[in-house]
């Protein structure tokens, strides 16, 4: 079998893998393998993000549409949210991912699936399969798992199991015709148990209507869930048109707590493989680009200086930034996944009492210390009550 030698093998050509490869220094040899035929297609995400963060990452403005207002619905409530303090953008995901790919300093192999890896001295020997040409191997010093929820490398090396708790989403994308959507819509309640739904305008004038649920809490087929929602009359209540001539996007992301171990010797995980998407809304693209780029810098240093310390430094800096706020976000996620329709009505009532800036921060999974303390107290109280109840019951 043909064997290629490289410094770094990156598995997965999503935003995390592409951004890592985009920051590799000259003199560092890297190969990216991506199982899909092309970058950015099919689309498996909605592309909602925040303008300030996306601009700071240098994403060209022609790749997104700006949304300044959101409407939030539960079964019996409606709230209008002014987002002009921190506008949302809806990315053209295909264009953004291809733009990231143009910046790569690596050899890209599409239609190439990573099959397995074995340890080989202080490096790795990976077996890959390319459509049309068959199996080949790569010998590398480092290996980056950027395969999203597949966790292909970690699973093959038995370092981490694939996620059990997952967010599964389905989206119908269709031309808006004479309905110009300028707002974002978020909805919660009986039509989407243990999850939420959304409608977003796109840069090319279409509408993306999606539903996401958490497995295994809800195991209903996403298409059945969507069909039921479309027949429920809820779309009309939200002033949205019925989809016609739609195509279907669908995707999966882990919905597990953030873990601090990102570097396992010379195996590194980044992106969804490392639970980078926010626990509140499952929004990961900007976070994958930010920390993927930083990983590219750390890997360049490691390869060029022949020492692994920069990788541990990267791990520490990501953990410092995400661990606490993702812990709080995950508590919120776990609580909300159990909400009844009545809980959602009460939740929208609570949202209406919070200043819009604070609510946006919450959706971004950014929590002021006051909120962290309040959440910690609620969790502690619940645990004490449960323990006390067990002892007396
Ligand atoms: C339904 C849904 C809606 C979402 N909406 C948003 C949103 O609005 N905004 C937002 O910011 N985030 C959103 N997210 C989350 C966001 O999509 C992820 O956080 C982000 O895509 C993670 O990037 P990644 O590069 O880590 O993984 P991925 O984007 O999953 O990319 C990994 C790639 O690796 C490839 N791969 C997997 N296994 C192998 C293998 N064995 N060999 C070769 N290649 C392999 C896959 O084909 C895949 O393309 C959403 C996710 C879902 C599922």
């Amino acid at each position: 079998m043909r064997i290629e030698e490289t410094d770094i093998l990156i598995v997965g050509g999503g935003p995390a893998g592409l951004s890592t490869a985009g920051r590799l220094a000259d003199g560092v040899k890297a190969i990216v393998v991506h199982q899909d035929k092309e970058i950015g297609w099919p689309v498996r995400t909605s592309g909602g993000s925040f303008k300030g963060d996306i601009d700071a990452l240098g994403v060209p403005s022609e790749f997104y549409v700006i949304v300044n207002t959101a409407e939030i619905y539960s079964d019996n409530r409606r709230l209008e949210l002014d987002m002009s303090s921190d506008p949302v953008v809806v990315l053209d995901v295909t264009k953004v991912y291809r733009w990231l790919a143009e910046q790569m300093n690596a050899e890209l192999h599409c239609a190439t699936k990573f099959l397995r890896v074995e340890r080989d001295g202080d490096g790795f020997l990976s077996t890959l399969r390319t459509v049309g040409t068959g199996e080949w191997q790569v010998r590398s010093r480092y290996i980056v798992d950027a395969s999203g929820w597949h966790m292909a490398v970690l699973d093959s090396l038995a370092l981490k199991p694939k996620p059990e708790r997952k967010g599964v989403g389905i989206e119908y994308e269709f031309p808006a015709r004479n309905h110009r959507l300028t707002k974002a819509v978020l909805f919660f309640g009986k039509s989407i148990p243990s999850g939420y739904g959304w409608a977003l305008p796109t840069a090319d004038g279409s509408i993306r209507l999606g539903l996401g649920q958490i497995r295994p809490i809800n195991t209903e087929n996403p298409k059945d869930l969507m069909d039921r929602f479309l027949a429920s009359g809820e779309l009309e209540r939200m002033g949205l048109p019925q989809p016609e001539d739609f195509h279907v996007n669908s995707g999966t992301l882990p919905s597990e707590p953030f873990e601090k171990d990102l570097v396992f010797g010379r195996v590194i995980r980044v992106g969804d493989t490392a639970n980078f998407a926010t626990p509140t809304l499952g929004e990961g693209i900007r976070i994958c680009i930010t920390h993927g780029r930083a990983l590219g810098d750390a890997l360049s240093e490691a390869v060029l200086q022949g020492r692994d310390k920069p990788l541990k430094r990267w791990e520490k800096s990501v953990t410092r930034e995400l661990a606490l706020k993702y812990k709080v976000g995950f508590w919120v996620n776990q609580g909300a996944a159990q909400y009844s329709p009545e809980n959602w009505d009460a939740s929208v009532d609570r949202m209406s009492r919070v200043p819009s800036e604070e609510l946006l921060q919450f959706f971004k999974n950014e929590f002021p210390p006051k909120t962290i303390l309040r959440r910690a107290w609620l969790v502690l109280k619940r645990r004490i009550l449960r323990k006390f109840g067990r002892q007396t019951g």
Side-chain angles (χ1 to χ4, degrees):
M1 210 185 300
R2 171 170 68 100
I3 300 185
E4 281 197 26
E5 308 275 339
T6 190
D7 295 315
I8 305 162
L9 175 68
I10 299 175
V11 177
L18 297 172
S19 305
T20 303
R23 282 290 268 267
L24 296 176
D26 291 340
V28 175
K29 201 169 172 234
I31 291 177
V32 178
V33 291
H34 184 53
Q35 67 183 7
D36 301 329
K37 264 201 318 226
E38 35 186 336
I39 294 291
W41 193 261
V43 173
R44 300 199 177 89
T45 177
S46 307
S49 199
F50 290 87
K51 184 175 181 307
D53 303 71
I54 286 296
D55 287 347
L57 293 169
V59 176
S61 57
E62 64 265 29
F63 295 168
Y64 62 69
V65 61
I66 305 170
V67 187
N68 277 309
T69 319
E71 280 176 11
I72 301 170
Y73 290 88
S74 61
D75 293 331
N76 302 296
R77 301 286 189 279
R78 173 186 173 278
L79 166 68
E80 192 159 315
L81 174 64
D82 173 9
M83 304 192 292
S84 52
S85 62
D86 195 359
V88 159
V89 289
V90 184
L91 302 170
D92 182 325
V93 174
T94 306
K95 284 189 182 152
V96 172
Y97 288 10
R98 289 183 183 168
W99 171 79
L100 290 171
E102 280 165 19
Q103 295 158 44
M104 281 193 318
N105 198 6
E107 194 181 301
L108 172 66
H109 294 262
C110 285
T112 301
K113 187 173 171 121
F114 164 94
L115 299 178
R116 61 187 171 274
V117 58
E118 58 198 82
R119 294 189 186 270
D120 180 44
D122 61 354
F124 304 93
L125 185 65
S126 302
T127 304
L128 315 158
R129 188 176 52 231
T130 300
V131 174
T133 54
E135 290 191 10
W136 54 293
Q137 290 183 308
V138 168
R139 187 174 286 125
S140 62
R141 262 176 75 197
Y142 295 92
I143 182 159
V144 176
D145 195 341
S147 64
W149 70 274
H150 298 267
M151 298 178 84
V153 179
L154 297 181
D155 185 49
S156 177
L157 288 168
L159 289 170
K160 289 277 169 188
K162 287 179 192 286
E164 274 181 22
R165 195 177 188 270
K166 290 185 284 243
V168 177
I170 188 168
E171 210 178 44
Y172 286 6
E173 185 166 343
F174 52 98
R177 299 191 198 279
N178 38 20
H179 185 104
R180 214 172 94 75
L181 184 66
T182 53
K183 62 189 178 186
V185 177
L186 280 183
F187 49 96
F188 307 91
K190 66 175 181 305
S191 49
I192 174 70
S194 87
Y196 72 96
W198 61 89
L200 299 169
T202 72
D204 69 0
S206 306
I207 297 176
R208 288 194 191 140
L209 175 70
L211 300 175
Q213 72 204 102
I214 296 177
R215 285 187 194 276
I217 302 174
N218 183 355
T219 51
E220 202 170 349
N221 179 317
K223 187 167 174 311
D224 294 346
L225 203 64
M226 181 64 99
D227 286 347
R228 213 176 48 199
F229 172 70
L230 294 179
S232 68
E234 285 295 287
L235 264 189
E236 291 70 21
R237 178 167 78 104
M238 297 169 195
L240 294 168
Q242 282 284 340
E244 277 175 33
D245 301 330
F246 57 86
H247 77 259
V248 179
N249 305 323
S250 63
T252 300
L253 83 167
S255 183
E256 299 266 12
F258 176 79
E259 293 175 318
K260 292 180 180 174
D261 47 353
L262 310 177
V263 176
F264 308 81
R266 290 184 174 168
V267 183
I268 307 106
R269 58 166 159 168
V270 65
D272 272 3
T273 307
N275 304 310
F276 279 6
T278 56
T280 43
L281 286 186
E283 180 234 332
I285 297 170
R286 63 190 166 92
I287 298 130
C288 291
I289 299 177
T290 305
H291 296 299
R293 284 179 177 170
L295 173 60
D297 290 338
L299 275 165
S300 300
E301 252 189 87
V303 170
L304 296 175
Q305 298 173 4
R307 57 196 192 106
D308 297 338
K309 216 169 165 188
L311 297 173
K312 278 288 174 191
R313 224 184 299 130
W314 171 80
E315 180 184 60
K316 227 185 206 162
S317 81
V318 178
T319 299
R320 205 179 309 122
E321 197 193 317
L322 301 186
L324 179 59
K325 62 187 184 189
Y326 274 39
K327 193 169 193 157
V328 179
F330 196 72
W331 289 335
V332 174
N333 174 311
Q334 281 178 305
Q338 307 293 342
Y339 272 15
S340 64
E342 294 72 33
N343 291 145
W344 277 116
D345 284 343
S347 176
V348 174
D349 283 342
R350 280 196 303 277
M351 290 182 207
S352 67
R353 293 193 291 270
V354 175
S356 56
E357 292 80 5
E358 212 177 291
L359 193 51
L360 278 169
Q361 290 294 93
F362 173 85
F363 285 139
K364 279 179 98 167
N365 204 85
E366 300 285 348
F367 302 101
K370 196 176 72 187
T371 313
I372 294 183
L373 285 173
R374 200 172 54 221
R375 278 272 152 199
W377 166 238
L378 284 175
V379 171
L380 188 69
K381 202 165 86 179
R382 220 176 294 141
R383 282 191 190 154
I384 294 171
L385 284 175
R386 221 180 289 143
K387 195 164 173 218
F388 181 70
R390 252 205 312 269
Q391 278 169 2
T392 54

